[in-house]
Structure formats: structure tokens, C-alpha cells
Amino acid sequence: MILRKNLPFGIKQTDKVTLLHWYRLMAIGRTIDERAPNYLKQAIGWSYHAPYAGHDGIQLAIGQVFEKNKDHLFPYYRDMLTVISAGMTAEEIILNGISKATDPSSGGRHMSNHFAKPEWNIHNVSSCTGNHAQHAVGTARAMKYYNGGGVVISSQGESSLSEGYVYEAINGASNEQLPVIFVIQDNGYGISVPKHEQTANRRVADNFSGFKNLRIFHCNGKDVFDSMNTMFDAKRWVLENQKPAIVQANCVRIHSHSNSDRHELYRSDAELSYVAEYDPLAKYRRMLLRYNRATIDELNAIDEEVKQLIKDAHKKALAAPDPDPKSIMNFVVPESYSVELYPEGIHNGQGETKKLIEAINETLKAEFRLNPDTFLWGQDVANKEKGGIFNVTKGMQKEFGRQRVFNAPIAEDYIVGTANGMSRYSDKIRIVVEGAEFADYFWPAMEQLVDSSHDYWRSNGKFSPNIVIRLASGGYIGGGLYHSQNIEGALITLPGIRIVYPSFADDAAGLLRVAMRSRGITMFLEPKALYNDPRSATHVPIDFEVPFGKARIRREGSDLTIITYGNTTHLCLEAARQLHESHKIDSEIIDLRSLNPLDYNTITRSIVKTNKVLIMHEDKVFGGVGGEISAYIAENLFNHLDAPIMRVGATFTPVGFNRILEKAILPDTEKIAKKIVELFNY
Amino acid sequence: MIQKTMKKIALIYSFRSNKTAAVAKKIKSLWEDKIHELDIETLTVEQFVEFENYILGVPTWFDGELPSYWDEFVPAMEDMDLTGRKFAIFGNGDQVNYPENFGDAVGIMAEIIESLGGTIIGYTSSKGYVFEKSQSLVGERFCGLLLDFENQPKQNEERVVSWIESLKKEFQ
């Protein structure tokens, strides 16, 4: 066994200046930790406070091994001492606690006790416990690719290991051999749920003992020196081996989970007394005195200095400005790439035509050639001649290499979560992911998508995930419930993401190019039934660009307006053609191209002209995008309507597999034509 | 000051503890003339080195850790040469709720002592206990006396008495 005196840190061998510095940090942290509930009692704020007392050793150690601007740190909501130890000031902590405009984490937008300083790579994370483990893995992937030379630390509670996304993160880090340290602060409880009701293994990190390339460390998170030595050793090992590690730090939770929890309802007096005995700060203080590394006067002087420091910080934080209510629309979605060549997203080029699948493939390649900081991954996207289930990414890995184009595990959340994380490494990075094999399989990734949709707003504009999420969408292929549905009705409810859904090859190319050059998240929905359909083939200028929020009139008319997108654009064009021939009905067809942002101007201009509108989409009528468009029209263009707003779309059912069922469920030319006639005759 | 020649046995434990103190009280009653009690929470190196024979009360805390009061004394112990000194360790554990680290602290302390040259005595049989892992297990024996107040309280008396009987021979 290695004697403690032979380790890098110990009560006898660590120099006095360092020992007292640590004591001061711990005193600052604990003083704020104990004062935080007062802010709530006085109705000043800090309505969520998860006290860290009992985690002092490991939190001090995480902050001490973290090198700002080189390493990346993902603290969780209990990591107050972690970020203080990493360098954040008492004032910054209080600014976050009472949600001031100058809170470095989020300007008062995110919940209290979510400490961050993106400028130093201390990241702003979700409240979903441990979901930042995936971000950490993504950041580590970039760290390794760019030879950043640092480590990424994901700090989280032991209960988070029950989350599937944490499993995905650790599995991915193990498989990709990435420099991540997952620090598991184990206090034995997930709120009131004891560890034994979470997992069978008390040493929860040992659940991962079968993972290759992964080293598991255990330490006493209540002890400063054991924590320091372990974190120091773990970081050294990760850097030397470029592989991930788990540090399980045994802690105790001296107080309740948070100020909305009352631990006396489920913990005995004996237990509370027992955990109080464990108080790491008291232990550290005793050791400083016992081993004559500090005098009581020295420690008392630090305590007094800290009291004053926090008093001053409190005053400054109280005087800081509150967030401006007028600022709420700031940083919802980042500015997109400025389109100059094709400001309306329309071209007059003629010549060779490309299929929709070719347009996407060639645009991806063109952008990858132009920008070396582009990456693509997804399930099934890169294996020899295969590039995705529909071969959209064919040839990309061959041309751009395995480091930029690679397969992901069958873990949709991981695909999106690591895209978010990789984005965090540098704002110059642009990522394209195939979010799932089919849009219908994207649901497991909704957790990360929703979280990512918050990021730009939540960080007060300090972080934007720059990701294009491609999804093969829609039906008409006989695919059934998991290969034929549309999900944009659900996506449209999320602020913070753009949604585009082209119908033609040129628009697909133009939208993809702009999406890949823009900051922010773009959901790029591809009508898979049209990949090789000659109807969607067009000439595609090599530099074509389509701005977001610009619809395209695909057929001009004067009798009525049809608003549509995706697969149904072609059904509408066919129905309009037939009805023009048979009934002389002159329909104007708007292909929206962008669902968010919507082109209200084009919609308005057309309805003012035709006075009748049919909203037509493949997705379900109930809960579909058409409902929102209808509401807009009813509210703003009512005086221009000569007929009720009509809608055609799928029934409020899943899409059936048997072609007979699919036909009954999805809209077709016949159903559309019938509705057009009804609207025309109204 | 207690002289080495008296061959007194230092019984060291936390005077603020409950279960461990109860065991210490029992030990003291069984071996009144030889036992000298010391509180680990205020123990000094000078006090410690006065003895050659020791009985240590080392309960297991949490998921297999030394109690803070023992952990804090380890750096002091590491400067000592314990060669020629005999140590018997007892400790409380919980087989049912902590089966993966039943009585670990006894094993941890034993390892520290042996690494400093000390001799561990007072091994006991692991028969009658049900657990998964224990750092105090050496072969099929524990390197000390393990007591389980939570799950086998009725056996404590007999186990302590039997252990002290054997220690009386081993400390000769």
C-alpha cells in the first residue's frame, strides 16, 4: 500500500500557503452555502439551492485540477464549491443565486444554483441531472481532434447514473477513447430516493467496470487530501492515456436535497447526526490544527476575512441590475448566415438537373471542402460505399476521413448530445448529424434536442450549438409507424430551433448550405419519398442559397392559395394542374420551405390576392403546423378571407403499414383536389 | 505516565461513539486490570507510543471508510515504526445494508498497521456472517472482531467474550 505521506497531497507534505488557500475557498463556499436559504426567506431570490455541505473535499479538488481555458468543466447544480475552487468569485455566485442581469451563467435566465462561466469553459448546463455527460463527451471529442491538451470534467450526482443518457455518454467515451473524467459525487440519495432503490451496486461506478478503456477511481469525497490525490491521479491518467475515467467520490449530504425538500421526513435523527459527524470542513480544520499546519488564530482570521468578503459581495450583488423584461426575445435563435447571392432563395438557372438526394450529397461535400471545421455523424452513415440508410452521405467518409465523418452508435440522444458538446469546444465548428435512421426514431433524442434548444437563450447568448440535424421524414413509402411519420408538429413547439422542409432539389441544396454556415440549430427534414423522385429534381446552381423564412411560390394563381411543404407540395401541384384543366381553378401554391421561421409576408401577399386559403400538409391536421398558420391567418387576415380556412392532412392516427391503411391515413391528390373544389365553390 | 513494562493494553476508540463505546465498556469489564482507555479524538503520538499492545475500536463508516477520527490520526501513525507492537481491532458493520463493504474499516486499519511493521492479532472466523465483500477478510477469517449491531445484536456478547479470551493468550 502507498503511504499517504508519499502521495502528492497530504496534511504534512502540502505547503502551508496552499493549505490555507484551500481552507479559505472552503470557508467562502460554506458561508454562502449556509447563507443561501436566507435569500429565499427574505424573498430576494435563490428559490432553488442545493446545498453542497458534505461534498467539500471532492468539489475543492475538481476546481483545483481544472485549468481554465484549457480544460472544460461541466458542473452540476450542487457544485458551488467546485466553481469557487475553479476561480469564480463570491459575488458571481450570489449574482447567479439571486438571478441578476450580470449573473455570468445566464443573466438570470437559468435557475439559481446553476453556476457557469462559459468564458473559462465552465459550462452552463441543464437541470436534467447528468445530461451534460453527453456534452462533456462531445467536447472531449473535439479536444482530442484539435489536440487541445486538456481534459473535460463532467461532475454529477450518483443518481444520474440511472439515466440512460449517462450510460450512452460513458459508453461513447469508452468506445471513442476520449479524455473525460466523469466525477460521480455519491451522497447516497437522489432527492429522497436512497441509492439502493436506484441501482443494485452501492459502488455505483462499478456498474461500468466492464467497459473497456475506462479506469474507475474511488475516493473519499469528504476528505480534501484523498480527493485531491485522486483527481490529480485521474487527470494525469486521462491525459497520458487519452481515455476516460470515472471518479466515484463518496460524500454525505448534510442538508436536504434542496430548499424544496425536507430530509427530516425520511432521514432519522441518528443518520442526520452521523452525516454531520462527517463534516469535511470541520475535519479539515481539525487536521490543520492537529498537525500544527495552522494556528487557531490564523484560521479565525481567515474566517473573519471571508465573512467580510461575503458581506461585500452580498451588497454588490444586491445592487446589480435585474434582467430587463424587454430582453426576453434576445438570444432565442442566433443570427443566421447572411445570404447575399440569392436574397429571396430563387434562381433562374437552367441546365442539368439533380435529384434531391444528389443535391444534398453534393452540398454536404461542397461545404465540407470549404470548411475544415465541419463534422458529420449518425447511425449507419459511413461504412465503405454505404452512407446512410438512403445513401445520402455516400462517399463522404472516403473523401473527408474517419475523423470528420463517422458512424455513431444506435443512441439518438448521444448523437445530438455529443453534437451539442462538440459545438462547445469552438464556435467555428459546424456539425451535421443524421439524427436518427428515420425521423420516427428521433424521439429518444428529444431530451437533448429540447435541452439544446434552450442553450443560446439560457446562456444569455454565450453559447450556441451549431448543428444541422438531418432527418429522413414522411411517408408514401409503405413504412408504417416507425418509417413514415412526420414530427414537425412536435418540433414546432420548441423555441430556439429552425425547421426547414424542402420539396425540391435546389431548395434542399440552398437551405442546407445556409444551415451549415449559420450558427444555431436547424432541423433539416428531408422528404425521403422524394430523394430519387424525378418530380423533385431540378437544376441546382453550385452556389445556391436559400435564406430561412423565405417561402417560394411554386405556382402562381388567383382563385385560392394553397400553403404546403415537403412531399405534399408535389401532390398540390398535381391537384392544381388537374383542377385547372378540369375546372379552370387557378390555385396559387406556396412552398413554405421554412416552417420556423415562417414567411408571413408571402402568406399575407397571397391571401390578400386570392382571399381563400387551404393549408395542406402530410403531418396530422390536429396538432400540425397548419393549426398555427391558421391561427395567424384568422387573427391577422380575417378581413381578407371569403371562405373558412381549410386544412388537409393526415388523420389523427399513426401511419399504418399496409398500403391500404397508409392511403386512408395520408393525404393524396384526390383528397386535396376535393378540398380545393370545396374551397373554390364556397 | 504508563510505563511499557506494565504491559498495559491501550484500548483506543472514540469516547463520543455509542456502539463502539458499548463494546469498549464490555471489553474493559472483561479485562479490567490490563486495559487503559484512550480517546482517539484527542490521542497524541506520545500517548500512543507508550504502549506495545493495542485494542482499537474501528467501526466502518458509509461505503467502507475509516471513521473521520481514525482517518485523521493516520498521518501521525505513518511516522511511527510499529515493529514489535501487537494490535487487535474490532469494529461494527452492517451486513444487510452494506454487504459490499462489511467491516471494511477493520481491514483498512489492519493494512495500515502492517505496512508500518505492526502485528495484527485477534483474527476471528467469518462463519455466521452473510455478506458479499469485506476488506477485513483474510482467507476465511476476519483480521479482527466484526460486530453487527443492526442485524446480529444478540451475538455481540458471546463474540466479544470469546474474542477477549483468545486475546488474553495472544497478547502474552
Side-chain angles (χ1 to χ4, degrees):
Chain A
M1 99 180 259
I2 302 172
L3 296 178
R4 295 184 195 183
K5 64 183 178 184
N6 296 326
L7 293 169
F9 304 100
I11 187 66
K12 291 188 167 176
Q13 61 269 40
T14 300
D15 66 85
K16 182 171 178 177
V17 171
T18 303
L19 290 174
L20 294 185
H21 173 59
W22 290 349
Y23 180 78
R24 183 173 178 275
L25 292 172
M26 292 169 77
I28 291 171
R30 189 62 81 81
T31 308
I32 305 175
D33 202 41
E34 286 168 4
R35 280 191 63 152
N38 296 343
Y39 288 92
L40 179 61
K41 284 178 193 157
Q42 294 169 39
I44 297 171
W46 221 321
S47 57
Y48 178 78
H49 168 238
Y52 78 81
H55 294 232
D56 311 51
I58 189 63
Q59 293 199 4
L60 177 86
I62 297 170
Q64 291 299 295
V65 302
F66 168 73
E67 288 179 63
K68 63 187 176 192
N69 302 322
K70 184 174 181 185
D71 298 330
H72 286 253
L73 173 60
F74 292 79
Y76 80 126
Y77 46 75
R78 203 180 298 283
D79 265 322
M80 185 193 289
L81 179 57
T82 301
V83 298
I84 291 172
S85 176
M88 288 184 68
T89 65
E91 184 181 345
E92 288 172 328
I93 298 299
I94 300 171
L95 286 170
N96 172 270
I98 58 176
S99 310
K100 292 290 191 172
T102 46
D103 152 37
S105 171
S106 75
R109 293 177 165 208
H110 199 10
M111 201 177 206
S112 49
N113 251 68
H114 289 64
F115 311 108
K117 192 157 182 171
E119 301 90 318
W120 290 357
N121 301 338
I122 300 177
H123 292 275
N124 176 313
V125 307
S126 169
S127 303
C128 291
T129 188
N131 91 336
H132 56 262
Q134 296 201 346
H135 305 159
V137 173
T139 307
R141 183 188 289 149
M143 175 79 82
K144 197 161 187 173
Y145 178 83
Y146 289 101
N147 294 316
V151 297
V152 182
I153 303 171
S154 174
S155 176
Q156 53 207 87
E158 90 285 355
S159 297
S160 71
L161 296 185
S162 301
E163 294 280 10
Y165 45 64
V166 175
Y167 172 88
E168 291 178 12
I170 298 174
N171 177 54
S174 151
N175 189 37
E176 296 186 43
Q177 300 187 35
L178 299 175
V180 191
I181 307 173
F182 300 96
V183 183
I184 310 303
Q185 299 186 38
D186 177 3
N187 64 25
Y189 282 99
I191 309 182
S192 69
V193 182
K195 193 160 49 173
H196 68 84
E197 292 180 21
Q198 297 268 356
T199 187
N201 203 341
R202 282 202 68 81
R203 291 163 71 88
V204 289
D206 290 355
N207 284 341
F208 299 88
S209 59
F211 280 31
K212 200 170 174 181
N213 305 318
L214 176 75
R215 181 155 168 203
I216 299 172
F217 296 80
H218 289 272
C219 74
N220 180 350
K222 306 170 290 299
D223 184 77
V224 167
F225 302 109
D226 197 28
S227 297
M228 280 300 303
N229 285 316
T230 305
M231 281 304 297
F232 187 79
D233 197 23
K235 183 175 179 180
R236 180 196 52 74
W237 186 88
V238 166
L239 284 173
E240 282 176 11
N241 295 281
Q242 289 296 297
K243 291 176 182 175
I246 296 178
V247 172
Q248 181 179 343
N250 284 352
C251 307
V252 288
R253 204 184 73 203
I254 294 176
H255 302 296
S256 293
H257 164 77
S258 70
N259 38 10
S260 59
D261 177 39
R262 288 173 56 201
H263 64 165
E264 67 274 14
L265 296 179
Y266 55 88
R267 300 173 90 180
S268 66
D269 289 344
E271 182 186 341
L272 293 178
S273 148
Y274 169 64
V275 295
E277 277 292 306
Y278 252 137
D279 186 344
L281 177 57
K283 177 183 177 186
Y284 185 60
R285 189 182 165 95
R286 282 195 304 270
M287 290 186 78
L288 289 173
L289 296 172
R290 185 173 202 158
Y291 290 93
N292 299 317
R293 302 309 314 274
T295 65
I296 192 128
D297 288 343
E298 285 171 327
L299 298 184
N300 287 344
I302 291 173
D303 290 343
E304 284 306 309
E305 185 257 327
V306 164
K307 260 187 211 166
Q308 189 57 46
L309 178 143
I310 287 165
K311 218 172 177 179
D312 295 344
H314 165 76
K315 274 186 193 165
K316 283 184 191 165
L318 278 187
D322 288 316
D324 183 351
K326 294 194 190 97
S327 69
I328 56 170
M329 297 310 292
N330 294 347
F331 310 124
V332 178
V333 178
E335 287 297 307
S336 59
Y337 166 75
S338 177
V339 173
E340 291 175 2
L341 295 175
Y342 301 89
E344 296 302 316
I346 293 171
H347 67 89
N348 297 312
Q350 291 186 342
E352 182 198 5
T353 61
K354 304 272 186 192
K355 290 190 275 190
L356 190 130
I357 194 168
E358 294 170 325
I360 296 173
N361 177 275
E362 290 178 13
T363 305
L364 284 169
K365 287 176 176 169
E367 290 302 303
F368 266 62
R369 287 175 197 132
L370 193 69
N371 182 358
D373 299 306
T374 45
F375 301 86
L376 182 146
W377 65 87
Q379 293 163 19
D380 214 17
V381 298
N383 195 346
K384 296 177 184 166
E385 293 305 309
K386 189 172 183 185
I389 189 73
F390 297 101
N391 240 357
V392 178
T393 55
K394 183 180 180 180
M396 290 196 67
Q397 189 181 62
K398 194 173 176 185
E399 180 172 350
F400 303 107
R402 288 177 175 275
Q403 287 193 299
R404 289 177 65 195
V405 179
F406 49 90
N407 280 324
I410 301 179
E412 293 80 4
D413 212 31
Y414 180 77
I415 290 171
V416 176
T418 56
N420 177 306
M422 204 162 174
S423 261
R424 288 172 187 261
Y425 187 78
S426 168
D427 195 51
K428 70 181 179 183
I429 293 174
R430 295 291 181 274
I431 294 157
V432 181
V433 294
E434 198 158 290
E437 294 261 19
F438 292 79
D440 324 53
Y441 289 108
F442 190 65
W443 300 117
M446 284 300 281
E447 180 275 322
Q448 281 291 348
L449 179 70
V450 171
D451 197 60
S452 297
S453 75
H454 299 159
D455 266 315
Y456 190 56
W457 193 88
R458 195 179 71 201
S459 67
N460 214 13
K462 288 186 179 178
F463 166 60
S464 161
N466 301 325
I467 313 166
V468 178
I469 301 174
R470 295 180 40 240
L471 287 171
S473 304
Y476 304 105
I477 60 162
L481 284 75
Y482 280 88
H483 299 81
S484 283
Q485 309 215 63
N486 286 278
I487 66 169
E488 66 270 20
L491 299 177
I492 201 82
T493 64
L494 301 174
I497 58 173
R498 306 184 191 96
I499 306 167
V500 300
Y501 206 150
S503 314
F504 288 88
D506 52 357
D507 290 343
L511 287 166
L512 181 58
R513 174 166 289 110
V514 172
M516 289 182 68
R517 293 181 182 184
S518 293
R519 299 174 74 225
I521 300 170
T522 305
M523 301 299 299
F524 192 84
L525 305 178
E526 300 169 7
K528 58 180 174 283
L530 299 178
Y531 277 143
N532 291 297
D533 190 324
R535 290 177 301 172
S536 65
T538 67
H539 176 68
V540 183
I542 56 167
D543 56 357
F544 191 46
E545 298 169 343
V546 176
F548 299 121
K550 290 282 184 185
R552 183 166 180 174
I553 306 287
R554 282 288 176 181
R555 185 184 195 283
E556 293 197 12
S558 55
D559 292 329
L560 54 91
T561 297
I562 303 173
I563 301 171
T564 189
Y565 59 87
N567 278 319
T568 50
T569 303
H570 299 278
L571 303 182
C572 290
L573 284 167
E574 176 57 19
R577 187 191 64 76
Q578 288 175 10
L579 290 174
H580 188 252
E581 283 182 7
S582 61
H583 293 66
K584 300 297 176 202
I585 299 173
D586 196 11
S587 303
E588 177 149 299
I589 297 178
I590 299 174
D591 177 0
L592 286 171
R593 304 193 290 193
S594 289
L595 307 185
N596 186 9
L598 271 171
D599 184 351
Y600 293 112
N601 290 335
T602 298
I603 292 171
T604 301
R605 272 199 303 273
S606 183
I607 292 174
V608 167
K609 179 171 71 173
T610 66
N611 310 118
K612 290 182 177 177
V613 63
L614 170 66
I615 302 164
M616 165 66 231
H617 54 54
E618 182 187 338
D619 200 1
K620 300 168 288 293
V621 173
F622 186 91
V625 173
E628 193 56 41
I629 299 171
S630 298
Y632 174 82
I633 295 168
E635 197 170 347
N636 296 281
L637 300 168
F638 184 75
N639 292 338
H640 295 282
L641 292 177
D642 289 340
I645 301 162
M646 294 190 184
R647 288 186 287 164
V648 178
T651 53
F652 196 55
T653 62
V655 179
F657 184 65
N658 186 305
R659 287 278 191 178
I660 296 168
L661 297 175
E662 184 190 81
K663 182 171 170 48
I665 289 162
L666 293 181
D668 58 17
T669 307
E670 192 182 336
K671 291 174 193 170
I672 298 166
K674 193 176 165 190
K675 207 70 173 177
I676 292 173
V677 172
E678 183 187 339
L679 180 62
F680 179 74
N681 290 331
Y682 186 87
Chain B
M1 182 178 289
I2 310 240
Q3 298 303 313
K4 282 184 191 176
T5 51
M6 292 174 69
K7 296 286 185 188
K8 278 270 189 180
I9 297 165
L11 173 59
I12 308 175
Y13 64 99
S14 167
F15 287 9
R16 291 195 303 124
S17 62
N18 294 316
K19 297 168 196 165
T20 305
V23 179
K25 190 177 172 188
K26 180 69 186 171
I27 291 171
K28 172 90 174 165
S29 73
L30 292 170
W31 209 354
E32 190 77 43
D33 59 325
K34 286 286 184 187
I35 295 293
H36 183 84
E37 293 176 288
L38 290 167
D39 186 359
I40 178 62
E41 306 209 32
T42 55
L43 185 69
T44 63
V45 172
E46 291 73 20
Q47 289 173 311
F48 189 87
V49 298
E50 286 300 321
F51 296 84
E52 292 181 357
N53 297 327
Y54 303 83
I55 298 174
L56 311 181
V58 189
T60 297
W61 278 17
F62 204 55
D63 287 339
E65 292 170 0
L66 291 177
S68 294
Y69 43 79
W70 273 113
D71 196 67
E72 290 165 32
F73 193 64
V74 171
M77 291 174 69
E78 286 188 346
D79 285 339
M80 303 176 195
D81 178 1
L82 301 181
T83 306
R85 297 171 196 264
K86 291 181 181 176
F87 294 83
I89 311 169
F90 71 93
N92 312 317
D94 181 341
Q95 300 162 76
V96 174
N97 292 304
Y98 297 87
E100 294 143 311
N101 46 262
F102 176 54
D104 270 3
V106 168
I108 293 168
M109 182 54 74
E111 190 180 3
I112 291 167
I113 288 166
E114 287 185 327
S115 71
L116 299 170
T119 303
I120 301 297
I121 62 168
Y123 281 66
T124 58
S125 169
S126 62
K127 282 183 185 169
Y129 298 87
V130 180
F131 58 96
E132 292 170 23
K133 279 187 199 167
S134 172
Q135 289 192 56
S136 65
L137 199 62
V138 179
E140 293 186 352
R141 295 194 303 161
F142 293 125
C143 55
L145 174 65
L146 268 60
L147 299 165
D148 188 339
F149 277 75
E150 276 67 34
N151 308 295
Q152 296 175 333
K154 290 180 182 169
Q155 298 183 49
N156 285 350
E157 170 92 12
E158 183 191 334
R159 283 172 172 166
V160 172
V161 170
S162 164
W163 191 56
I164 293 299
E165 285 307 309
S166 72
L167 288 187
K168 284 179 177 173
K169 294 171 196 157
E170 292 188 76
F171 270 127
Q172 292 299 321

